[in-house]
Amino acid sequence: MLEPEEAEEALRAAVADHRAWAVVPLDERRQRVSAAVEALEAHRELLALLLVWEVGKALPAVHGRG
């Protein structure tokens, strides 16, 4: 839960990021998004384990050891 001030600050930051992204040339945006997708794919298993951990399961249970 956020306090109203925190939510307002987050909204301001999101608007600022949106405006900054909007002026990035399309080819550069494509390159950045492609790089982000490649990074997600490269770390897919780690991300999956972190999500499982976040919901409260033991990591060994994910690999059939728990």
Side-chain angles (χ1 to χ4, degrees):
M1 299 288 291
L2 295 176
E3 295 296 324
E5 298 81 19
E6 293 172 314
E8 194 173 315
E9 180 181 340
L11 184 57
R12 275 196 301 273
V15 169
D17 284 349
H18 174 74
R19 288 182 177 151
W21 180 254
V23 298
V24 173
L26 183 57
D27 285 339
E28 185 176 342
R29 284 193 266 167
R30 283 186 183 128
Q31 290 173 353
R32 290 185 190 183
V33 170
S34 291
V37 169
E38 288 174 13
L40 288 169
E41 289 172 345
H43 300 287
R44 182 179 178 175
E45 184 173 341
L46 174 60
L47 292 168
L49 290 173
L50 289 171
L51 285 170
V52 168
W53 184 39
E54 175 67 20
V55 298
K57 292 196 177 233
L59 291 179
V62 175
H63 292 289
R65 291 178 271 164

